[in-house]
Amino acid sequence: MATAVYPGSFDPVTFGHLDIIRRASHSFEHIIVGVLHNSAKSPLFSVEERVKMLKEETKTLSNVDIESFSGLSVNFAREHGAAVILRGLRAITDFEYELQMAQTNRVLAYDVDTVFLTTSLEYAYLSSTTVKEVAGFGGDIDKFVPPLVAEAIHQKMQRRKGVINH
Ligand code: ADP
């Protein structure tokens, strides 16, 4: 299989995302991770910060590139000549939304298909949202994200607290 795009928020990247990227890098010639610039959400990290962290954490995977994008995933895929959108599936709760998105994308772009990789068992529970919640309450996030990402989350949280306390 040739090129796949892997779109998402990645706010921030977790071991779950990295596991999907690493495994998919064995099956696809080229993976382009697309960091979504979504003005409707208020992310913890800017798109630039998310791209930088992903670049750092995937630097040993030579067929993986990281880019930001806005708009539709199918357009992002087409712009890169990718026939596949890659997504990760954790649980039934992901399935309903992901199925709906995949079917919508199929109607929008018949030439682009969605391929799912199921989560590795050890990361089945893991989401960026829960990592931020745990960190917000001072919990240990070392099992969820790489050290550089954990450090970046702690710094953001500190800065936010500083802003609130002043
Ligand atoms: P979204 O794109 O919905 O904002 P994310 O950026 O968090 O979600 O995730 C991007 C993709 O990675 C989605 O397909 C999501 O299901 C998948 N994913 C997130 N966490 C995990 C995990 N722990 N294991 C497998 N897949 C995951």
Side-chain angles (χ1 to χ4, degrees), residues 6-12 14-17 19-20 23 34 36 38 41 86-90 94 97-98 116-120 122-129:
Y6 179 34
S9 307
F10 305 103
D11 183 42
T14 69
F15 284 135
H17 298 127
D19 176 62
I20 297 284
R23 284 161 54 208
L36 181 63
N38 185 351
K41 285 187 180 177
L86 175 69
R87 296 285 286 176
L89 272 184
R90 279 162 295 193
D94 276 345
Y97 171 74
E98 292 291 346
F116 295 104
L117 281 189
T118 52
T119 180
S120 294
E122 68 254 55
Y123 304 128
Y125 62 91
L126 192 51
S127 76
S128 301
T129 305

Side-chain angles (χ1 to χ4, degrees), residues 136 156-166:
K156 277 271 176 201
M157 298 275 171
Q158 284 301 328
R159 232 171 280 149
R160 285 201 168 181
K161 271 188 204 152
V163 170
I164 291 163
N165 290 338
H166 283 106

Side-chain angles (χ1 to χ4, degrees), residues 14-34:
T14 69
F15 284 135
H17 298 127
L18 291 171
D19 176 62
I20 297 284
I21 295 170
R22 185 188 48 75
R23 284 161 54 208
S25 73
H26 300 312
S27 310
F28 292 93
E29 272 169 42
H30 188 196
I31 310 254
I32 303 160
V33 180

Side-chain angles (χ1 to χ4, degrees), residues 49-155:
E49 289 169 326
R50 285 179 267 154
V51 165
K52 197 172 166 213
M53 285 188 276
L54 268 157
K55 279 190 174 163
E56 180 61 31
E57 300 303 336
T58 58
K59 65 182 179 196
T60 56
L61 302 171
S62 58
N63 60 341
V64 174
D65 287 308
I66 316 293
E67 286 188 20
S68 62
F69 80 104
S70 47
L72 295 172
S73 296
V74 287
N75 290 343
F76 180 62
R78 278 176 166 165
E79 277 161 23
H80 290 86
V84 168
I85 292 175
L86 175 69
R87 296 285 286 176
L89 272 184
R90 279 162 295 193
I92 290 289
T93 42
D94 276 345
F95 181 76
E96 208 161 303
Y97 171 74
E98 292 291 346
L99 180 67
Q100 200 177 17
M101 275 311 301
Q103 289 173 339
T104 305
N105 285 336
R106 193 94 176 111
V107 174
L108 290 173
Y110 205 72
D111 50 327
V112 180
D113 236 321
T114 303
V115 169
F116 295 104
L117 281 189
T118 52
T119 180
S120 294
L121 276 181
E122 68 254 55
Y123 304 128
Y125 62 91
L126 192 51
S127 76
S128 301
T129 305
T130 51
V131 172
K132 285 180 281 191
E133 273 173 13
V134 172
F137 289 114
D140 185 358
I141 52 171
D142 293 357
K143 290 201 170 70
F144 310 146
V145 294
L148 279 177
V149 178
E151 180 56 32
I153 295 174
H154 288 311
Q155 278 182 13

